[in-house]
Amino acid sequence: MTGFEELYALHAPAVYRFALSLSGNRATAEDITSETFVRVWSARDRLELTSVIGYLVTITRHLYLEQLRRERRHSELAHDPEDAAPGPEEHAAGRSELDAVLADLQSLAEPDRAALLMRAQDQIAYEEIAAALKITVGAAKVKVHRARRRLAELRLCREGIAS
């Protein structure tokens, strides 16, 4: 296995989960994941392996934001219909809870959602989160805390235990 193949095998699942959490769409997440690794391949000579996960999530987030900008510019165009074929997730226990959590994640502001996902999903250090979002370490910690608190509030509301 080459170094790139090992890098892909090790980090592609985390990059896909991050992209799925940002976009809420499997096909979009697959596209973003693919494009992330295409960009890594193109820049492989300049890649520092000490901060590779931070580099990958930064690329993933930028690709997601680029896609949002493109969609806003072309909002008058018809969107492709969602994939109606049921996937294995729909058959798994707890699917409705997963859908609710993904919807709650989508309701968070993008920088807050990105910070939370980097920390919760991939255990990325606050320093790397701050660098990826171009904010201070303290601001990264606050974003993660507030996003967690907001998700907890949304869950309580959904369960009828409004605060």
Side-chain angles (χ1 to χ4, degrees):
M1 225 195 272
T2 67
F4 182 78
E5 290 171 333
E6 291 174 18
L7 177 77
Y8 182 84
L10 183 62
H11 296 293
V15 169
Y16 173 78
R17 282 191 312 272
F18 183 63
L20 178 61
S21 298
L22 286 174
S23 68
N25 180 290
R26 286 182 285 175
T28 300
E30 289 170 0
D31 291 344
I32 290 172
T33 300
S34 298
E35 182 62 26
T36 296
F37 283 96
V38 165
R39 291 193 182 187
V40 168
W41 176 258
S42 299
R44 65 189 176 276
D45 297 333
R46 298 181 310 264
L47 183 64
E48 289 183 36
L49 293 179
T50 57
S51 64
V52 71
I53 190 66
Y55 183 67
L56 290 170
V57 296
T58 299
I59 292 172
T60 302
R61 180 173 176 263
H62 286 141
L63 289 170
Y64 170 71
L65 293 174
E66 284 176 19
Q67 178 197 2
L68 283 180
R69 284 190 287 276
R70 275 193 309 273
E71 286 176 0
R72 285 187 192 125
R73 281 193 304 255
H74 302 289
S75 61
E76 69 277 355
L77 298 176
H79 294 289
D80 292 335
E82 293 293 321
D83 183 9
E89 299 86 12
E90 279 120 334
H91 302 292
R95 178 62 191 192
S96 63
E97 179 64 21
L98 176 61
D99 290 341
V101 170
L102 285 174
D104 290 347
L105 278 170
Q106 294 300 309
S107 73
L108 296 175
E110 189 281 327
D112 296 345
R113 182 171 63 238
L116 175 67
L117 293 170
M118 283 186 248
R119 183 68 183 164
Q121 266 186 340
D122 301 314
Q123 291 79 42
I124 295 176
Y126 285 111
E127 292 78 12
E128 289 191 49
I129 294 170
L133 298 177
K134 294 181 175 52
I135 58 176
T136 66
V137 174
K141 290 178 180 180
V142 168
K143 283 192 176 300
V144 170
H145 172 74
R146 287 183 180 163
R148 285 179 175 158
R149 189 177 67 210
R150 180 67 183 142
L151 287 179
E153 290 169 357
L154 290 170
R155 183 176 184 188
L156 290 175
C157 288
R158 199 173 47 252
E159 293 173 354
I161 312 171
S163 53

